[in-house]
Amino acid sequence: MKLKILILIFCMILTSNCGFKLSNVQNNYNISEFNTKGDKRINYKLKNKILNSSKKENENLILVNINTKKEKNIKEKNIGNEITKYEIIITSNIEFKKITDNNFNTFTVIEKGDYTISKRYSDTLSNEKSLINTLVNDLSDEIIQNLSLRLNDL
């Protein structure tokens, strides 16, 4: 009986909450100017998503510069030396400047993914396009989170 109680107490201690809380990061910035370099299609999607996250009524005005580079590499080949998989790497260098304090900060965000080659070329293009959309969404989420965290630190 005592052993069952000890085991029950031990299990309750192991499964109890450790007190970890997710930080509630809020977007406390307003982007006054947004400059981009690199891949136009990726930058257009990044710009739209990041501008949607900024709050117009906020007084923290920032200037954002993004330089994006997309690399497409061969990941796998089959026995007949035909390409079966490609890997796409999107690298974004973000520079932002808080206008009121003249604080300047930079960070880099990298996203990777791969897609398979289909028998039809249109399916291959569709696979590539959907992968790029997924990578850009992940990239923009990470950029928004980094901007919020770094502006809270300043």
Side-chain angles (χ1 to χ4, degrees):
M1 185 67 180
K2 288 183 181 182
L3 183 62
K4 287 183 181 181
I5 293 173
L6 286 174
I7 292 174
L8 180 65
I9 291 173
F10 184 70
C11 288
M12 289 177 64
I13 290 173
L14 285 178
T15 59
S16 67
N17 192 354
C18 65
F20 175 76
K21 276 187 170 181
L22 291 173
S23 64
N24 188 11
V25 178
Q26 296 179 353
N27 300 339
N28 58 350
Y29 55 85
N30 183 7
I31 299 175
S32 64
E33 189 174 336
F34 202 99
N35 301 315
T36 59
K37 290 181 186 175
D39 193 287
K40 290 180 182 180
R41 188 172 284 167
I42 292 173
N43 283 336
Y44 179 77
K45 291 176 184 179
L46 282 176
K47 181 178 178 180
N48 285 338
K49 191 148 185 190
I50 293 171
L51 284 175
N52 283 339
S53 74
S54 72
K55 295 184 177 179
K56 302 293 182 199
E57 65 274 357
N58 206 313
E59 295 177 7
N60 285 338
L61 292 175
I62 61 171
L63 167 78
V64 178
N65 296 320
I66 294 183
N67 186 4
T68 304
K69 187 173 102 177
K70 178 180 90 168
E71 293 180 39
K72 183 176 173 182
N73 302 322
I74 298 170
K75 187 168 183 177
E76 287 182 10
K77 289 185 177 184
N78 63 9
I79 295 172
N81 206 21
E82 296 172 336
I83 299 169
T84 58
K85 264 189 187 176
Y86 279 107
E87 178 182 43
I88 293 182
I89 302 169
I90 302 175
T91 306
S92 289
N93 296 319
I94 296 92
E95 300 173 351
F96 66 94
K97 178 179 167 184
K98 193 171 179 182
I99 294 175
T100 56
D101 302 9
N102 245 359
N103 288 335
F104 183 76
N105 205 336
T106 63
F107 60 93
T108 302
V109 181
I110 300 171
E111 288 291 329
K112 297 179 184 181
D114 55 35
Y115 68 96
T116 58
I117 303 298
S118 297
K119 292 182 181 182
R120 292 191 326 211
Y121 183 67
S122 61
D123 290 341
T124 302
L125 288 179
S126 176
N127 290 344
E128 180 180 3
K129 198 177 222 180
S130 66
L131 175 65
I132 289 174
N133 285 336
T134 303
L135 292 177
V136 168
N137 285 335
D138 294 344
L139 198 66
S140 62
D141 290 340
E142 197 167 337
I143 290 171
I144 291 168
Q145 184 179 13
N146 270 325
L147 274 175
S148 296
L149 286 173
R150 291 173 190 263
L151 283 170
N152 284 338
D153 289 345
L154 294 178

